[in-house]
Amino acid sequence: MNHQLILPARKFEKGPIKRLMVSLSKGINLNRESEAQKAFKLAVYLFAVGEVAPARDLVSSFAFDIPYSEKSGVWAIKKEALAFLAFMATQHQQADLARKPVDEIFVSNPNIDIDDTDWVFEQAIDQIEYYKPREAWNPSLLHDLTLNEKITGHFSTIAELAFPFVCATLLPTKNEELASALEKIITAELGWLRLELQND
């Protein structure tokens, strides 16, 4: 049985948002990584174009309910989606709302410890070091990428960095300098994503 999602009431005329809305209209199987990924993508796209409440409602309607399993990669989507939910809350100065999804990430996975996030920060530092802002991309590379590749690339960066951002922002082991660097990248990527979605 498909898990029903809270989708935006507003209709979108074109592009990835419309296609995802149609695809997700019958709900998703919470045990399927590809389906959960579609729902998460839609939430990020909605937030990027300014549909904040629909993005928040969509994530809340499925991410908390994804079960943990060592045999499936779907929990990784749960982690990224809940981290993005927490990120959205921090952007609107709602730290109290941000804490619930972060707690769920750690409670739902017996293999990670909320008091041991050094590994998260180490990975984030590496990602920041190798991150190349779009304005620094080679023009020929930018020209050769399809619109879908650009959109997917910006989404992937946002998805990967949301978890270390909320760890650096909200946990006892927080790191304000790292959080600030991650926030700048995520904000920039959301801006580029917004632009590409408007161009579609």
Side-chain angles (χ1 to χ4, degrees), residues 20-34:
L20 284 171
M21 292 261 292
V22 171
S23 177
L24 295 168
S25 62
K26 294 182 180 178
I28 61 170
N29 182 331
L30 293 175
N31 294 306
R32 290 198 179 162
E33 185 176 354
S34 61

Side-chain angles (χ1 to χ4, degrees), residues 179-199:
S180 178
L182 290 167
E183 184 176 28
K184 285 177 183 175
I185 294 174
I186 295 170
T187 301
E189 291 295 304
L190 283 165
W192 284 114
L193 179 58
R194 180 183 310 112
L195 180 67
E196 296 299 353
L197 289 168
Q198 289 170 345
N199 288 339

Side-chain angles (χ1 to χ4, degrees), residues 85-97:
L85 181 62
F87 170 81
M88 289 190 282
T90 65
Q91 297 307 288
H92 291 84
Q93 288 76 48
Q94 298 172 315
D96 52 332
L97 294 179

Side-chain angles (χ1 to χ4, degrees), residues 13-56:
E13 296 303 317
K14 61 177 184 174
I17 293 178
K18 179 181 179 180
R19 291 191 289 275
L20 284 171
M21 292 261 292
V22 171
S23 177
L24 295 168
S25 62
K26 294 182 180 178
I28 61 170
N29 182 331
L30 293 175
N31 294 306
R32 290 198 179 162
E33 185 176 354
S34 61
E35 294 185 24
Q37 177 83 335
K38 281 184 182 180
F40 177 38
K41 271 188 179 181
L42 177 57
V44 174
Y45 294 175
L46 289 169
F47 184 79
V49 299
E51 299 285 337
V52 178
R56 182 188 62 236

Side-chain angles (χ1 to χ4, degrees), residues 4 9-10 17 37 39 41 45 47 52 60 76 81 93 96 102 107 113 117 131 147 149 154 164 170 186 193 199:
Q4 294 304 303
R10 178 187 160 193
I17 293 178
Q37 177 83 335
K41 271 188 179 181
Y45 294 175
F47 184 79
V52 178
S60 297
Q93 288 76 48
D96 52 332
V102 175
V107 168
D113 183 352
T117 53
Y131 173 74
L147 182 60
E149 287 171 335
H154 294 305
L170 298 167
I186 295 170
L193 179 58
N199 288 339

Side-chain angles (χ1 to χ4, degrees), residues 27-198:
I28 61 170
N29 182 331
L30 293 175
N31 294 306
R32 290 198 179 162
E33 185 176 354
S34 61
E35 294 185 24
Q37 177 83 335
K38 281 184 182 180
F40 177 38
K41 271 188 179 181
L42 177 57
V44 174
Y45 294 175
L46 289 169
F47 184 79
V49 299
E51 299 285 337
V52 178
R56 182 188 62 236
D57 293 344
L58 174 55
V59 174
S60 297
S61 72
F62 78 92
F64 286 98
D65 299 322
I66 292 175
Y68 174 76
S69 170
E70 293 185 1
K71 298 178 181 179
S72 167
V74 72
W75 185 86
I77 307 301
K78 175 188 182 99
K79 178 193 77 173
E80 292 176 347
L82 288 176
F84 189 70
L85 181 62
F87 170 81
M88 289 190 282
T90 65
Q91 297 307 288
H92 291 84
Q93 288 76 48
Q94 298 172 315
D96 52 332
L97 294 179
R99 188 61 201 221
K100 181 181 177 184
V102 175
D103 287 343
E104 173 63 19
I105 292 170
F106 287 90
V107 168
S108 66
N109 187 332
N111 298 314
I112 58 174
D113 183 352
I114 200 167
D115 295 316
D116 178 19
T117 53
D118 286 348
W119 61 276
V120 179
F121 298 156
E122 288 167 9
Q123 290 177 356
I125 290 167
D126 287 343
Q127 288 172 304
I128 291 170
E129 184 178 344
Y130 290 105
Y131 173 74
K132 196 168 186 178
R134 178 154 160 175
E135 49 271 22
W137 291 8
N138 186 309
S140 62
L141 170 65
L142 193 57
H143 180 267
D144 292 342
L145 291 173
T146 66
L147 182 60
N148 185 58
E149 287 171 335
K150 293 173 190 173
I151 289 171
T152 301
H154 294 305
F155 162 76
S156 296
T157 301
I158 294 162
E160 290 169 5
L161 298 184
F163 179 59
F165 167 78
V166 296
C167 288
T169 303
L170 298 167
L171 297 188
T173 54
K174 65 184 178 180
N175 180 323
E176 292 181 7
E177 184 177 345
L178 181 60
S180 178
L182 290 167
E183 184 176 28
K184 285 177 183 175
I185 294 174
I186 295 170
T187 301
E189 291 295 304
L190 283 165
W192 284 114
L193 179 58
R194 180 183 310 112
L195 180 67
E196 296 299 353
L197 289 168
Q198 289 170 345

